[in-house]
Amino acid sequence: AMGRRALLPGSLLLGSLQAVSAVLRPLGSAMRVMPTIPRLGHMRMAADSLGRPDVCIVGGGFGGLYTALKLGALGWEEGCAPRVTLIDRSDRFVFLPMLYEITTGTVSCWEVAPRFEELLAGSGVNFVHGDATAIDTESGLISVRPAPKPAAPAKAAGAVTSASGLSLPYDHAVLSMGAGPSFGGVPGAAELAMPFYSLDDALALRKKLLPLSRSSAGRFELAIVGGSYVGVELAANLADWLTPHGVQITLVHRSEALLSTSEEFSRMVAQSRLESRGVRVLLETSVQSVLPGQLSLKSSSSEDISLDADLVVWCAGTKPSSLAHELGLPLDPRGRIRTDAFLAVDGAANLHALGDVAAATDANGAAPPSTAQAAMQQADYAAWNTRAALQGTKPLPFRYTALGEMLSLGDNDGSVAALAGLVRLQGPLASASRRAIYAARMPTVAQAAKVGASWALDVAMAAARAAIPDGGRGGGKRR
């Protein structure tokens, strides 16, 4: 589930806002040009003579990107810091908890989907834009197929090119390829439904719905399949945006309750918002097939239901990256890479795996949730244990700490539940808190400063418009 939400305690809201202000001053110096990447002339033998190991990280989501940045922040003996290379098929990091706002147009792509080259400028981390296709654990090489249309694909130190792409050497590798949509074998779902899991998905959905937001020409039936975090938050945001324009939203969920793994407070607030915005919710209802303009459903009483649907958005389930299977590593029944409590891949001492692609359990034997919060915590341990493996020191077992959860429920609306129920917010205050916390959790200081300043301006504009009679609903919108 995208529940990918990283949460700091609510009591740090003021501190987060102050921190954003404090980092604005050094912003100029933080925005440096990406260091020149060594070219092919620097072969592996020359690199080894420098005594610096190579660390390759496959996947630039929360787990992979934060591991790469954390490795650079750890203390290393002089001359022993590794060369870190991050590989991803996309040229952008995506702050997944804010995909909804990309679709509705209340945030900009540069804020929550910055380019890796901009994020990594001055960090010492090399970025390779392409698909990792194979890992040779015996020779320590990762095969990469460059992304389409690269003008001049970046090459990490020691990289060797061939007709099929790049071969990147590694002494240690971290696997964080994430997950993609799973249509569960439902007939017609893959062909007719729109998935909602990536930046491309969010932009494609926006393109589809934007004309509806600018007119009220007739009734439009929109069905969303899946009632966990992704489906509920998407339904609430789209209802806030589109309901005034004649769009009827139906949320279909096969379980007996929405947000079955969330806290009771979050569930209560979300259900209230959906009801107040006219979202029709069908519980204990499964999708039998997706047809042109229609969903074929079956209720818990085995009643067949035909639901008109001009558009179906699929938010029901994920599956690990197919690369996990292609690598030939040990997998669990769900296709995730098996790891131990140190996030080390079973039977491969120089590989770690984390995030949605890993079947990880923490030191207490508990499986972490599929969230950004968990991935960022794992990244700290993956970086530390990678250094331990390279230096022959003791690794640390992963320990997950549940900090709470935040929901986006529309423009200037949301919920926050944190610190074991001690912090419970809803409405505009929860929305502002969520944005402040997410700004503080951006990958770099420079990105946090830019995003924090932009969102602070939005809040100021909203407050100014609210103070003006008939100044308009939901000031600061960029739709």
Side-chain angles (χ1 to χ4, degrees), residues 208-234:
K208 183 80 172 178
L209 297 177
L210 190 58
L212 299 176
S213 71
R214 295 173 174 170
S215 68
S216 299
R219 188 180 180 89
F220 187 91
E221 297 285 348
L222 171 61
I224 298 175
V225 179
S228 57
Y229 290 109
V230 183
V232 169
E233 291 181 271
L234 181 62

Side-chain angles (χ1 to χ4, degrees), residues 273-411:
R273 297 301 188 273
L274 294 177
E275 181 179 346
S276 67
R277 292 171 190 158
V279 175
R280 180 169 49 194
V281 178
L282 301 179
L283 297 176
E284 297 184 273
T285 302
S286 59
V287 178
Q288 301 300 296
S289 64
V290 181
L291 305 170
Q294 191 176 84
L295 273 180
S296 176
L297 309 174
K298 186 176 288 292
S299 69
S300 58
S301 60
S302 298
E303 176 187 2
D304 291 326
I305 302 172
S306 180
L307 178 69
D308 290 338
D310 297 300
L311 177 65
V312 177
V313 183
W314 195 270
C315 307
T318 62
K319 60 182 179 182
S321 166
S322 59
L323 180 60
H325 175 75
E326 296 166 6
L327 294 179
L329 298 173
L331 307 178
D332 77 345
R334 293 174 55 187
R336 300 174 303 173
I337 299 171
R338 292 186 181 274
T339 68
D340 58 21
F342 303 97
L343 304 179
V345 175
D346 287 355
N350 64 341
L351 295 178
H352 282 85
L354 70 161
D356 293 339
V357 78
T361 56
D362 67 7
N364 299 316
S370 178
T371 64
Q373 179 185 142
M376 283 191 279
Q377 291 183 33
Q378 286 180 321
D380 287 342
Y381 286 86
W384 180 274
N385 291 343
T386 293
R387 185 181 69 165
L390 292 173
Q391 296 187 338
T393 58
K394 186 176 181 180
L396 294 175
F398 170 57
R399 297 183 185 276
Y400 172 69
T401 301
L403 300 175
E405 62 186 14
M406 300 185 291
L407 272 63
S408 171
L409 299 174
D411 187 44

Side-chain angles (χ1 to χ4, degrees), residues 391-479:
Q391 296 187 338
T393 58
K394 186 176 181 180
L396 294 175
F398 170 57
R399 297 183 185 276
Y400 172 69
T401 301
L403 300 175
E405 62 186 14
M406 300 185 291
L407 272 63
S408 171
L409 299 174
D411 187 44
N412 205 30
D413 194 8
S415 72
V416 174
L419 300 179
L422 295 178
V423 175
R424 289 181 174 178
L425 306 173
Q426 61 176 300
L429 180 57
S431 179
S433 300
R434 175 177 174 269
R435 287 208 175 196
I437 292 167
Y438 280 161
R441 294 297 281 153
M442 287 292 161
T444 65
V445 170
Q447 182 69 7
K450 293 190 297 181
V451 171
S454 178
W455 290 350
L457 179 60
D458 285 349
V459 171
M461 291 175 61
R465 292 191 182 189
I468 302 174
D470 299 323
R473 173 179 171 270
K477 288 184 180 180
R478 295 179 257 180
R479 289 173 173 162

Side-chain angles (χ1 to χ4, degrees), residues 222-294:
L222 171 61
I224 298 175
V225 179
S228 57
Y229 290 109
V230 183
V232 169
E233 291 181 271
L234 181 62
N237 277 271
L238 294 185
D240 185 47
W241 181 30
L242 298 173
T243 297
H245 301 279
V247 177
Q248 172 62 55
I249 298 175
T250 301
L251 181 59
V252 181
H253 190 46
R254 65 182 179 181
S255 298
E256 61 182 1
L258 299 174
L259 299 171
S260 56
T261 61
S262 76
E263 299 194 21
E264 179 62 31
F265 174 77
S266 302
R267 190 181 307 117
M268 177 195 70
V269 175
Q271 289 174 337
S272 173
R273 297 301 188 273
L274 294 177
E275 181 179 346
S276 67
R277 292 171 190 158
V279 175
R280 180 169 49 194
V281 178
L282 301 179
L283 297 176
E284 297 184 273
T285 302
S286 59
V287 178
Q288 301 300 296
S289 64
V290 181
L291 305 170
Q294 191 176 84

Side-chain angles (χ1 to χ4, degrees), residues 24 39 49 60 91-92 164 204 246 303-304 354 433:
L24 282 174
R39 295 297 177 181
S49 67
D91 65 340
R92 293 177 181 268
S164 59
E303 176 187 2
D304 291 326
L354 70 161
S433 300

